[in-house]
Amino acid sequence: MPRLSALVILLAACATPPVDAPAAPAGDHHAYIWSMGDSTGSDGLLTLDVDTASTTYGQIIGGLLLDTAGTRPHHIERRVHADGQLVANGWMANTSWIFDVHDPAHPVIRSTFRTAGGVMGWAHDFSRLPNGHLLVAFNGGPGAYTGPGGIAELDSAGAVVQSAMATMSDIGDTAATPYVVTPVPGRDRALVGLGEMGMGPEFHYHSVNMIELWSTSPLKPIALVPLPASGNDLGHIATSSIVATANGEIFANTFGCGLYHVSGLDGDTPVATRVFTFPGDIDDASCGVGTTVGNYWIQAVAALPGLIVVDASNPDSVREVSRLTLDSTAFAGAHWVSVNKAGTRLALTGNGSWLVMARFDPATGQVGIDEQFGTHDDSLPGIIVRDTAGRVVHPHGVAWGP
């Protein structure tokens, strides 16, 4: 197994060292790694043992390799749905797979989809409605990666229940590109972050600093919510994640490292306010995926690289409580973070083949390395991800589940 270079853990000056978090509860024995093969391998969904009481904790114990490579595995649901299904997107293939993981070591493909009714394509992000149906953010048109996208509600088989384009009178087609989607708790509303996924380094990106408020019954956009600029950075550009905290507040972060509180969601004219700025900027997509545990927002920050945890219990006074900083040579481009059901383990991936597991204390917001997770021949944490044939792969999204 390749060796990783030294790792440094930095906590905020006011923080105390994190306590040992409890073992994952029943129902969170596995995580599913959506990974890209190289020229000698295949893309696929790999099953990781995350049961801390298991003798194979931190090891790949199964999975399903696709019959192709180069699909660019990208977003995946953050956890397995109650029906045992898990949806993941292969960006360059403009294809999404619905996996069945009832047998964790042997996932199977139930169905695939490319478009919603042939009017929108390039699925990027997925969220569940209370009825178990899937809300899908389609980032562009149904064919070539051009034109506006929209939102669709799909049933468990991937059939379209309803859909609507993201176009509105106040934005052009290049801005009508849903990137992430999150239902508003307790209402038939959803928030949709706009921005282009693009097609690689040569793609000419359009700067978008807006999210949309949508009705989910019926499905349609009803209001634009600008992300105001601060005047001295690009923290308002390109929404990356939209997530609710335990107290029902909703926050959105951007690739430009701004964190926004979205208020007024009891009506149909919400407002977004910048409440925190993480280190980094849009040029290197320094801030990737964010998640929440309780009232803590946990941000993957490529500029560290690592994680920053902020206390968002008071949206008017968001403050950093801890951080985890990794060696920048070994752990470049921290991008994806997802959390187990108990809120005690965080899976972190980025550029390269590494996966690091962090411990999290939901009571204090303290974060630290899970030193039990890893198979290196020294004291360094994490794993280099290999597929079921032993070939090194590149993990992107990680979903938790039974």
Side-chain angles (χ1 to χ4, degrees):
M1 190 70 69
R3 294 170 59 90
L4 301 178
S5 60
L7 173 143
V8 180
I9 301 174
L10 298 178
L11 297 177
C14 62
T16 58
V19 299
D20 286 338
D28 262 347
H29 295 300
H30 302 95
Y32 300 88
I33 306 171
W34 188 219
S35 60
M36 180 176 67
D38 58 21
S39 59
T40 65
S42 300
D43 302 338
L45 186 71
L46 304 177
T47 306
L48 177 71
D49 185 342
V50 293
D51 181 352
T52 56
S54 171
T55 58
T56 55
Y57 176 60
Q59 297 180 33
I60 301 297
I61 60 167
L64 174 66
L65 299 183
L66 305 179
D67 58 3
T68 185
T71 68
R72 194 179 176 184
H74 197 60
H75 269 217
I76 188 172
E77 290 188 271
R78 276 55 167 183
R79 66 176 303 105
V80 177
H81 189 250
D83 63 6
Q85 294 193 154
L86 182 62
V87 183
N89 152 258
W91 180 252
M92 296 304 292
N94 186 19
T95 302
S96 296
W97 285 262
I98 301 178
F99 295 99
D100 186 316
V101 296
H102 277 101
D103 181 353
H106 303 95
V108 296
I109 298 171
R110 287 302 180 202
S111 61
T112 63
F113 61 89
R114 294 172 58 86
T115 72
V119 297
M120 60 185 74
W122 303 94
H124 182 265
D125 192 51
F126 317 97
S127 291
R128 293 283 176 169
L129 290 166
N131 65 4
H133 286 179
L134 201 68
L135 274 186
V136 182
F138 284 92
N139 199 231
Y145 182 58
T146 57
I151 301 294
E153 177 184 350
L154 308 183
D155 67 14
S156 60
V160 178
V161 176
Q162 58 173 332
S163 67
M165 302 301 293
T167 49
M168 300 181 72
S169 59
D170 294 334
I171 59 174
D173 287 356
T174 56
T177 48
Y179 190 86
V180 291
V181 57
T182 300
V184 175
R187 296 198 70 202
D188 60 348
R189 296 288 185 268
L191 286 174
V192 174
L194 301 177
E196 292 169 317
M197 172 63 187
M199 299 297 288
E202 304 304 316
F203 182 82
H204 177 66
Y205 290 88
H206 300 87
S207 295
V208 181
N209 69 316
M210 291 172 286
I211 59 180
E212 289 179 325
L213 178 68
W214 280 61
S215 164
T216 57
S217 182
L219 197 59
K220 63 178 181 179
I222 56 178
L224 280 176
V225 187
L227 303 179
S230 70
N232 55 12
D233 62 24
L234 294 176
H236 57 298
I237 300 297
T239 308
S240 172
S241 308
I242 304 175
V243 192
T245 56
N247 61 11
E249 301 293 339
I250 292 187
F251 294 83
N253 81 294
T254 68
F255 282 107
C257 294
L259 181 66
Y260 288 81
H261 174 231
V262 185
S263 59
L265 287 168
D266 52 340
D268 287 344
T269 55
V271 174
T273 305
R274 176 93 69 97
V275 294
F276 196 84
T277 303
F278 298 98
D281 57 52
I282 193 68
D283 291 339
D284 55 2
S286 284
C287 291
V289 172
T291 191
T292 58
V293 175
N295 291 316
Y296 294 108
W297 179 280
I298 303 166
Q299 180 64 52
V301 181
L304 293 181
L307 298 170
I308 292 180
V309 181
V310 297
D311 182 346
S313 56
N314 179 359
D316 295 326
S317 183
V318 175
R319 60 184 182 87
E320 180 179 337
V321 294
S322 65
R323 65 171 62 186
L324 172 67
T325 300
L326 307 175
D327 181 275
S328 60
T329 301
F331 303 99
H335 176 79
W336 180 278
V337 60
S338 59
V339 61
N340 69 343
K341 186 175 182 180
T344 58
R345 292 291 188 276
L346 300 163
L348 177 65
T349 66
N351 296 339
S353 299
W354 57 271
L355 188 154
V356 166
M357 193 69 69
R359 295 180 287 111
F360 187 74
D361 186 337
T364 65
Q366 301 306 302
V367 64
I369 283 295
D370 178 358
E371 296 179 355
Q372 184 183 351
F373 179 90
T375 55
H376 294 88
D377 55 3
D378 51 29
S379 61
L380 299 175
I383 62 172
I384 297 297
V385 181
R386 296 175 179 269
D387 67 18
T388 52
R391 296 168 298 209
V392 173
V393 295
H394 304 277
H396 191 82
V398 180
W400 294 80

